Amino acid sequence: MNYASIKKFDIANGLGVRVSLFVSGCTHHCKNCFNAIAWDFHYGNPFTIEVEDEIIKSLKQSMITGLTLLGGEPMEPQNQEGLISFLRRVKKEVPEKDIWCYTGYTLEKDLIKGKAHTAVTDEMLSYIDVIVDGKFIEELKDITLKFRGSSNQRVIDLKKTLLEKKIVLFNFQ
């Protein structure tokens, strides 16, 4: 797996100050995507153990709230394979940090079952606290929305959703 970039002090992609990992590779190709350069799975640099070490070190800082996964598309099947061992490590080494994930896939249609579900999807979802799902749709763009680009996208409290077996939207209060 490759990654496009890492932001070590990101305040735009989740609550608090976050470390954001932008993975490479996306098959959605949303019209006017903010990061179309990362559609190519070969773009950027290899996601190595040294890169993991760098992110873990950044996550250990007290002012960092958590990790955000974006892209590209972190939930592309081949990116799930590239991320699963890293997420295990994050949960082991910095369990107090939350994990947000942005995906163009829909949770119940594509991830819990469907075209993006793989042998590691359920485990990956178990590590994610908040998932922002749904493709960016230019015609539904709304810059007043918190942590999403278009009104079809949902900010889901994934822990509560998996526990209650129904979609529970994240409460910003």
Side-chain angles (χ1 to χ4, degrees), residues 32-90:
N32 291 323
C33 170
F34 82 99
N35 202 15
I37 196 164
W39 290 352
D40 181 349
F41 285 88
H42 302 289
Y43 178 76
N45 299 297
F47 189 68
T48 63
I49 193 72
E50 292 80 14
V51 174
E52 286 187 17
D53 291 344
E54 178 185 335
I55 294 172
I56 297 282
K57 181 180 176 186
S58 294
L59 285 168
K60 288 181 177 179
Q61 297 175 90
S62 62
M63 84 282 283
I64 299 297
T65 305
L67 171 70
T68 299
L69 305 172
L70 315 92
E73 171 59 76
M75 298 307 288
E76 289 287 2
Q78 56 268 54
N79 286 341
Q80 290 181 46
E81 290 293 330
L83 287 169
I84 192 63
S85 63
F86 172 61
L87 291 181
R88 287 181 193 127
R89 214 181 139 195
V90 169

Side-chain angles (χ1 to χ4, degrees), residues 95-143:
E96 71 281 7
K97 305 297 180 170
D98 66 5
I99 298 175
W100 283 47
C101 179
Y102 283 78
T103 179
Y105 290 110
T106 303
L107 181 62
E108 56 280 58
K109 181 180 153 204
D110 301 317
L111 296 173
I112 292 177
K113 57 183 179 183
K115 62 183 170 187
H117 190 272
T118 73
V120 299
T121 304
D122 294 339
E123 182 183 0
M124 193 165 165
L125 292 173
S126 77
Y127 299 136
I128 297 168
D129 297 284
V130 176
I131 194 164
V132 182
D133 79 340
K135 293 179 183 179
F136 171 73
I137 298 175
E138 175 69 26
E139 295 75 24
L140 300 176
K141 182 178 179 177
D142 183 347
I143 62 170

